[in-house]
């Protein structure tokens, strides 16, 4: 099937009224110390990757403005967070858990009803399918509800009395300090709130820097934050990372860094902190998740799941399948089946229900993907699917590249886009070099019908990656399961329960025989919020 690249993008008149982006942009507000602020001298224009066709020309619609702040504003945000935490003696960390829950319930209630505004803005800002934007918002609401429930259960489960011989102890989880959160463009609400929500519930104060892309869609929620939390508890900024985040890290006042992005940026931020031993890091970094197609795999299932895993949101996900290893017995039918399946995929604009492939969000992404494909071809690989690698504007049709070898960039680098590298193997031993040399260790998928085939590979992979998926694509959900990675893919563990632990520390009050009387008197007299029943 030939692709008419010239008609992928719509003319202005072809955009359905329900999905037009005019007159929806919020003011470019930022939030510091409970106050919403606008500084029109410090804004940047937000352009859409969804291009508009006018004859033979493509233009990028102007969506609005976002704050583009400097170190002055970022340090003001930091000082507000420091003030409300006050070395653990401030109003927020000393607040009763039930009262913090009440503030979170208020925020959740304010959020409801903004689903369509968020989805429309995110769609135009990132090119994500409209329905997927709605799903992200709803998933985030559910995540907040589940985290509040887990917070209540954690308080019950971890607020325990322990006796070791004559020693009594009461153990609870307490906040750590000021948290700096930096989320990604691909899930600017869900991934970011997976850091922010547990950090707040555990009593930390937060400085949250929005991603450069994906900031506009979250701006309407800042007024909800201001109305729901005490001043300084959460502060939201945007701007050049070096100007805004550098001074915050260099101050040494950050206790936890929650970051989702590249290892290069993570290492830069960490090394800016003058007291690394006092910095806890929760990092979601690159991944190169592989799928392994064993000789007895259900071929139709493997092809369907690999394509869905590689191309959901155009492969712009850390959990995407980014490398496929196929047993030589199935190689030819697998590649042929991939080609057939790809030719049936819908492509176009993200408001179209039947579409899977949409414009790419990141500037210069098409050029980067072309570089990867050209490098592989120069080193002996071929694009083996029809129309593979065709591009126009911000649209790139998926390219299946085979055979991929270690000398190629696509073998080593995370593509974060619709390029699907494929290699082949005859025995598990053929993969050992790949296992040993890979810098990444988030997930893997195995496709087979045989326990005898799956068992040995599972036993190898669980020491290489943190999640092995059986006959299904790599993914994060459900949020109740641990989400982490080995090697260079992550540091720390996120899930509904694990995130609450990650943003807190166990503290305990202890008494031996001399202190036992005081211990029980405190319990009976309710003199301490910590030492209580």
């Amino acid at each position: 099937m030939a692709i008419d690249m010239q008609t992928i993008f719509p003319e202005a008149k072809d955009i359905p009224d329900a999905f037009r982006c005019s007159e929806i942009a919020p003011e470019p507000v930022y939030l510091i110390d409970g106050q919403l602020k606008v500084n029109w001298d410090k804004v940047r224009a937000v352009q859409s990757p969804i291009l508009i066709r006018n004859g033979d020309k493509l233009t990028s619609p102007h969506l609005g403005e976002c704050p583009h702040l400097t170190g002055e504003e970022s340090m003001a945000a930091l000082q507000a967070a420091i003030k409300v935490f006050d070395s653990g003696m401030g109003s927020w960390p000393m607040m009763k858990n039930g009262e913090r829950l009440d503030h979170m319930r208020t925020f959740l209630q304010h959020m409801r009803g903004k689903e369509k505004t968020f989805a429309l803005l995110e769609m135009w800002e990132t090119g994500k399918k409209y329905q997927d934007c709605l799903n992200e918002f709803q998933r985030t609401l559910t995540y907040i509800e589940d985290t509040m429930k887990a917070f209540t259960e954690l308080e019950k489960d971890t607020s325990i009395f322990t006796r070791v011989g004559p020693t009594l102890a009461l153990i609870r989880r307490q906040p750590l300090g000021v948290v700096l959160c930096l989320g990604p463009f691909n899930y600017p609400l869900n991934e970011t709130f997976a850091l922010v929500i547990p950090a707040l519930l555990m009593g930390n104060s937060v400085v949250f820097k929005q991603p450069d892309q994906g900031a506009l869609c979250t701006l309407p929620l800042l007024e909800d934050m201001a109305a729901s939390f005490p001043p300084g508890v959460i502060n939201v900024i945007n701007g050049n990372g070096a100007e805004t985040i550098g001074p915050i890290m260099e101050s040494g006042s950050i206790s936890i860094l929650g970051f989702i992005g590249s290892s290069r940026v993570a290492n830069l931020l960490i090394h800016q902190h003058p007291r690394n031993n006092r910095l806890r890091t929760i990092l979601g970094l690159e991944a190169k998740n592989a799928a392994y197609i064993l000789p007895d795999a259900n071929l139709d299932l493997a092809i369907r799941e690999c394509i869905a895993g590689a191309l959901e949101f155009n492969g712009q996900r850390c959990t995407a399948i980014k490398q496929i290893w196929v047993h030589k017995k199935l190689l030819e039918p697998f590649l042929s089946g991939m080609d057939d399946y790809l030719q049936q995929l819908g492509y176009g604009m993200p408001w179209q229900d039947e579409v899977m492939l949409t414009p790419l969000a990141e500037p210069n992404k098409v050029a980067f993907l072309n570089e990867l494909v050209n490098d592989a071809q120069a080193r002996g690989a071929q694009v083996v699917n029809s129309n593979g690698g065709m591009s126009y504007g911000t649209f790139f049709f998926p390219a299946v590249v085979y055979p991929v070898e270690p000398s190629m960039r696509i073998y080593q680098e995370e593509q974060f886009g619709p390029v699907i590298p494929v290699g082949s193997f005859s025995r598990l031993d053929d993969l050992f070099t790949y296992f040993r040399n890979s810098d990444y260790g988030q997930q893997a998928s195995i496709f087979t019908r045989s326990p005898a085939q799956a068992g040995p590979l599972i036993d190898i992979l669980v020491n290489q990656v943190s999640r092995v998926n059986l006959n299904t694509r790599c993914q994060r959900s459900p949020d109740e399961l641990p989400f982490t990675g080995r090697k260079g893919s992550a540091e720390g563990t996120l899930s509904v329960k694990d995130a609450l632990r990650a943003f807190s520390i166990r503290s305990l009050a202890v008494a031996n025989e001399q202190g036992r009387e005081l211990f029980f008197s405190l319990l009976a007299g309710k003199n301490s919020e910590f030492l209580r029943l």
Side-chain angles (χ1 to χ4, degrees), residues 62-268:
H62 174 72
L63 302 180
E65 285 77 29
C66 272
H68 192 72
L69 308 177
T70 64
E72 178 183 354
E73 291 84 8
S74 67
M75 291 305 291
L78 175 62
Q79 290 305 315
I82 291 172
K83 179 181 177 182
V84 76
F85 191 78
D86 192 17
S87 299
M89 295 177 283
S91 58
W92 186 248
M94 296 292 286
M95 187 179 289
K96 293 181 180 180
N97 290 346
E99 294 175 358
R100 286 204 296 271
L101 275 171
D102 287 341
H103 285 287
M104 191 62 71
R105 290 190 189 98
T106 300
F107 176 62
L108 184 63
Q109 189 60 36
H110 279 299
M111 276 187 68
R112 299 186 190 279
K114 293 190 173 178
E115 180 177 29
K116 291 185 178 179
T117 299
F118 167 83
L120 195 59
L121 286 168
E122 186 186 28
M123 180 191 75
W124 278 99
E125 196 174 2
T126 67
K128 183 183 293 185
K129 287 181 60 178
Y130 179 73
Q131 185 58 53
D132 290 343
C133 296
L134 291 175
N135 293 344
E136 180 181 349
F137 193 92
Q138 184 56 53
R139 180 181 176 184
T140 304
L141 294 180
T142 302
Y143 176 84
I144 297 174
E145 293 169 344
D146 290 345
T147 303
M148 290 193 296
K149 180 180 178 181
F151 176 69
T152 302
E153 293 172 351
L154 184 69
E155 167 69 8
K156 295 177 182 177
D157 294 343
T158 61
S159 301
I160 56 175
F161 290 98
T162 300
R163 182 190 293 272
V164 182
T167 302
L168 290 172
L170 177 63
I171 306 171
R172 296 186 189 277
R173 300 201 73 89
Q174 298 297 113
L176 284 159
V178 178
V179 179
L180 175 62
C181 289
L182 296 92
F185 81 87
N186 55 345
Y187 292 92
L189 185 66
N190 187 257
E191 293 278 7
T192 304
F193 275 29
L195 302 171
V196 170
I197 299 302
L200 291 174
L201 280 174
M202 294 311 301
N204 306 283
S205 58
V206 171
V207 176
F208 156 36
K209 181 191 177 296
Q210 299 167 303
D212 288 343
Q213 294 166 272
L216 196 67
C217 59
T218 58
L219 288 182
L221 300 180
L222 269 61
E223 62 179 340
D224 302 331
M225 297 176 187
S228 304
F229 297 104
V233 169
I234 180 167
N235 307 272
V236 184
I237 58 174
N238 203 336
N240 179 271
E243 293 184 34
T244 56
I245 301 306
I248 291 177
M249 292 301 295
E250 291 168 0
S251 73
S253 299
I254 296 300
S255 296
I256 308 178
L257 171 64
F259 173 76
I260 300 175
S262 72
S263 55
R264 180 189 66 81
V265 175
N267 289 332
L268 177 64

Side-chain angles (χ1 to χ4, degrees), residues 285-289 318-320 322 414-415 440-443 489:
L285 306 173
E286 298 99 330
K288 193 76 171 170
N289 299 331
C318 66
T319 54
K322 301 187 176 97
E414 181 189 36
Q415 62 270 44
Y440 309 112
Q442 188 195 83
Q443 296 189 34
S489 286

